[in-house]
């Protein structure tokens, strides 16, 4: 992942040193368990942990140099460790296969990454909730098909986002549980050369569950679901980012990204204030979703194992989690500092001469005894005059002058149907459902 869209804590999880440290812990815990059942001498496990206690520097370059000869990353690592530990290191990896180390390590890295993503989600949810409460009753126009529909509040817009990201967080928790499995089952997963007790011991030490049945690899449907979950969260990011982008358009300008002192929006036009952060988030969401299809295609491996998935995961594991971590952090900042303009929201609400209240008049006429078809026709013919005047005409005044309407409704009754507060009487109910 390029540094521009990376944050240090997530990057560290995918650095070679962290991977090799996890590999060592897998091997050392397995050697411990092997010693407990008498397969290897206790001195072998002790030698490994004694060396580890010195907090050795992992010489990545040296391991890479060995791999350049062996063409095998796990063998290169084991060879390097043996050079550091000495004779007792020959008891490492007894009955294990490379996938035992690689797949279990990936599970650890993905759980570490997910813990950071969950913290990111919590920060984003807190920011959204704060702004939702701030604008719980700030009137704005609800739009369908991009066209003025009926009044809503800006807080409710944000409550929708909060509920969506809450679902995303729940899915991420489930994905973490699904991905956090350990396989130390040997070649083709039969435990022929290693006792299942070893797997259980390593799993417990690493905070993982035992994989119920593996081939030579952990089944990749788990990983497919994990990356699909990241893709859904990325889509939620894009949905909220797209909302901000639309609201920042000059013709709308109900909200906009914070524009810092000294910031410049265009190399050519000094007046520009562009939604660059949310446009960036839209692009980053596309990237995260782009990793979902390769993860799905990794499910179908040949027989008990091939490595067609391996190169894919070396890309998508780091890139998807690093990108999503960055995007969640960026979106949190956007929402926390979002500039919100209630006066412009009210101006836009009023712009179309009261058309947003047309449904209330329609319903009132039906309740007064006019058929729905005729009620619709009466309201629509007046509404179209307002539409064609670009809001210069007033729907309320036109209705007051329409004999078909005044035959069934008084002027006061008509005016009452244009009460903005009417639309917000259940906002508390929605907020209670969303925020508890």
């Amino acid at each position: 992942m390029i540094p521009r869209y990376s944050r240090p804590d997530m990057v560290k999880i995918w650095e070679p040193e962290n991977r090799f440290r996890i590999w060592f812990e897998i091997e050392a815990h397995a050697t411990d368990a092997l010693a407990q059942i008498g397969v290897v001498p206790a001195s072998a496990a002790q030698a490994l942990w004694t060396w580890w206690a010195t907090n050795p520097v992992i010489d990545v370059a040296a391991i890479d140099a060995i791999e350049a000869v062996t063409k095998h990353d796990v063998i290169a690592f084991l060879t390097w460790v043996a050079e550091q530990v000495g004779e007792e290191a020959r008891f490492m990896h007894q009955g294990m296969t490379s996938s035992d180390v690689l797949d279990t390590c990936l599970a650890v890295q993905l759980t570490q990454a997910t813990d950071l993503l969950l913290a990111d989600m919590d920060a984003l949810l807190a920011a959204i909730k704060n702004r939702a409460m701030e604008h719980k009753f700030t009137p704005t126009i609800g739009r369908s098909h991009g066209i003025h529909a009926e009044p809503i509040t800006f807080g409710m817009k944000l409550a929708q986002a909060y509920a969506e990201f809450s679902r995303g967080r729940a899915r991420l928790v489930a994905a973490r549980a699904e991905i956090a499995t350990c396989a130390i089952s040997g070649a083709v997963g039969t435990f022929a050369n290693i006792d299942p007790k070893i797997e259980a011991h390593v799993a417990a030490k690493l905070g993982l569950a035992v994989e119920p049945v593996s081939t030579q690899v952990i089944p990749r449907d788990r990983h497919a679901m994990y990356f699909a979950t990241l893709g859904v969260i990325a889509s939620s990011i894009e949905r909220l980012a797209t909302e901000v982008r639309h609201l920042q358009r000059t013709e709308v300008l109900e909200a906009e990204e914070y524009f810092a002192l000294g910031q410049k929006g265009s190399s050519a036009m000094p007046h520009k204030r562009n939604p660059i952060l949310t446009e960036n988030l839209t692009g980053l969401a596309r990237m995260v979703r782009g990793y979902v299809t390769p993860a799905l295609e990794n499910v179908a491996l040949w027989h008990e194992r091939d490595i067609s998935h391996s190169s894919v995961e070396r890309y998508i594991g780091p890139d998807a989690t690093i990108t999503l971590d960055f995007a969640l952090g960026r979106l949190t900042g956007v929402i926390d500092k979002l500039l919100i303009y209630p006066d412009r929201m009210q101006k836009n609400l009023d712009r179309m001469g009261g058309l947003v209240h047309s449904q209330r008049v329609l319903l009132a006429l039906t309740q007064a005894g006019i058929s729905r078809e005729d009620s619709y026709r009466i309201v629509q013919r007046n509404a179209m005059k307002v539409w064609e005047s670009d809001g210069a005409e007033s729907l309320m005044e036109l209705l007051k002058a329409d004999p078909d309407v005044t035959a069934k409704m008084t002027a006061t009754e008509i005016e009452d149907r244009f009460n903005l507060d009417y639309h917000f009487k259940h906002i508390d109910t929605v907020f209670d459902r969303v925020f508890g």
Side-chain angles (χ1 to χ4, degrees):
M1 193 61 214
I2 63 173
R4 186 181 184 90
Y5 304 127
S6 305
R7 299 200 295 179
D9 288 347
M10 187 65 83
V11 170
K12 287 178 183 177
I13 290 171
W14 300 103
E15 287 178 344
E17 183 173 344
N18 186 53
R19 180 174 75 253
F20 290 139
R21 288 187 179 279
I22 296 169
W23 285 10
F24 177 84
E25 290 183 9
I26 293 168
E27 296 283 2
H29 287 310
T31 307
D32 269 339
L34 288 164
Q36 290 171 14
I37 64 173
V39 174
V40 303
S43 58
Q46 184 177 356
L48 291 173
W49 289 117
T50 298
W51 171 70
W52 195 243
T54 65
N55 194 28
V57 173
I58 304 297
D59 193 338
V60 176
I63 298 169
D64 289 346
I66 298 170
E67 185 183 353
V69 176
T70 63
K71 312 300 182 187
H72 196 291
D73 51 359
V74 174
I75 291 175
F77 174 73
L78 294 172
T79 300
W80 179 79
V81 172
E83 291 173 354
Q84 317 309 307
V85 175
E87 180 78 12
E88 299 281 13
R90 72 183 188 276
F91 294 108
M92 279 194 303
H93 208 67
Q94 292 282 311
M96 295 169 61
T97 187
S98 299
S99 292
D100 292 335
V101 179
L102 297 172
D103 280 10
T104 301
C105 175
L106 180 59
V108 172
Q109 288 176 296
L110 288 175
T111 55
Q112 290 175 344
T114 306
D115 288 341
L116 287 183
L117 293 174
L118 287 169
D120 294 340
M121 295 284 280
D122 289 340
L124 175 58
L125 286 165
I128 295 172
K129 181 179 181 179
N130 181 57
R131 302 312 300 273
M133 293 300 179
E134 180 185 352
H135 291 280
K136 183 177 182 180
F137 290 107
T138 300
T140 190
I141 184 63
R143 298 173 173 89
S144 56
H145 306 277
I147 309 302
H148 283 205
E150 292 194 350
I152 192 173
T153 73
F154 194 71
M156 191 169 173
K157 281 179 177 279
L158 293 172
Q160 294 166 3
Y162 185 94
E164 183 170 348
F165 280 105
S166 293
R167 294 190 295 272
R169 190 190 190 285
R171 294 183 189 111
L172 191 57
V173 170
R176 184 193 187 283
E178 186 158 344
I179 206 68
T181 63
C182 168
I184 308 290
S185 53
V188 302
T190 60
F191 298 98
N193 294 300
I194 193 164
D195 194 295
K197 294 176 183 177
I198 310 306
E199 181 182 66
H201 177 84
V202 174
K205 290 294 185 181
L206 297 177
L208 303 174
V210 168
E211 179 61 48
V213 54
S214 60
T215 55
Q216 193 162 317
V217 297
I218 291 175
R220 256 45 194 181
D221 63 290
R222 294 183 179 276
H223 303 74
M225 180 56 67
Y226 180 85
F227 288 102
T229 298
L230 301 192
V232 172
I233 293 171
S235 291
S236 296
I237 290 173
E238 183 176 7
R239 180 178 182 228
L240 186 50
T242 299
E243 180 72 16
V244 173
R245 290 171 61 195
H246 280 303
L247 294 178
Q248 188 164 337
R249 286 179 299 150
T250 306
E251 296 81 3
V252 179
L253 202 56
E254 295 176 357
E256 67 173 333
E257 295 175 11
Y258 177 75
F259 197 79
L261 183 66
Q263 183 174 340
K264 294 176 173 57
S266 167
S267 63
M269 297 167 283
H271 71 277
K272 293 297 292 295
R273 289 164 63 128
N274 302 328
I276 57 170
L277 299 180
T278 45
E279 288 176 342
N280 170 252
L281 287 170
T282 298
L284 294 178
R286 292 170 185 166
M287 293 305 299
V288 176
R289 285 196 302 272
Y291 303 128
V292 177
T293 297
L296 292 169
E297 292 175 345
N298 277 352
V299 174
L301 301 178
W302 283 19
H303 305 298
E304 280 62 55
R305 186 217 184 187
D306 68 55
I307 63 165
S308 60
H309 65 290
S310 176
S311 57
V312 173
E313 289 169 355
R314 289 175 193 263
Y315 278 103
I316 70 175
D319 282 10
T321 55
I322 289 171
T323 304
L324 189 61
D325 169 64
F326 181 89
L328 287 167
R330 170 154 286 182
L331 182 58
T332 299
V334 167
I335 298 302
D336 188 53
K337 300 173 72 175
L338 188 67
L339 301 176
I340 298 168
Y341 303 123
D343 290 344
R344 183 60 176 256
M345 292 177 182
Q346 186 65 54
K347 181 179 179 180
N348 287 343
L349 258 173
D350 298 336
R351 185 187 178 284
M352 292 304 290
L355 289 184
V356 298
H357 301 287
S358 68
Q359 181 179 189
R360 289 206 65 204
V361 181
L362 165 67
L363 296 177
L365 290 174
T366 62
Q367 291 163 5
I370 303 177
S371 72
R372 182 176 179 87
E373 291 73 15
D374 287 343
S375 296
Y376 197 105
R377 177 180 51 79
I378 291 167
V379 177
Q380 188 183 47
R381 75 185 179 207
N382 287 285
M384 290 304 99
K385 293 176 183 178
V386 178
W387 185 277
E388 289 160 6
S389 74
D390 196 24
E393 296 271 17
S394 164
L395 179 61
M396 182 192 297
E397 296 307 318
L398 289 172
L399 292 171
K400 286 181 180 181
D402 188 322
D404 288 338
V405 177
T406 56
K408 296 293 184 178
M409 297 177 67
T410 67
T412 300
E413 288 173 334
I414 294 171
E415 290 170 2
D416 182 62
R417 271 47 183 194
F418 286 76
N419 181 356
L420 191 62
D421 291 338
Y422 170 88
H423 295 273
F424 307 144
K425 60 183 179 293
H426 295 304
I427 295 295
D428 280 329
T429 300
V430 173
F431 268 59
D432 286 345
R433 290 176 174 180
V434 173
F435 300 107

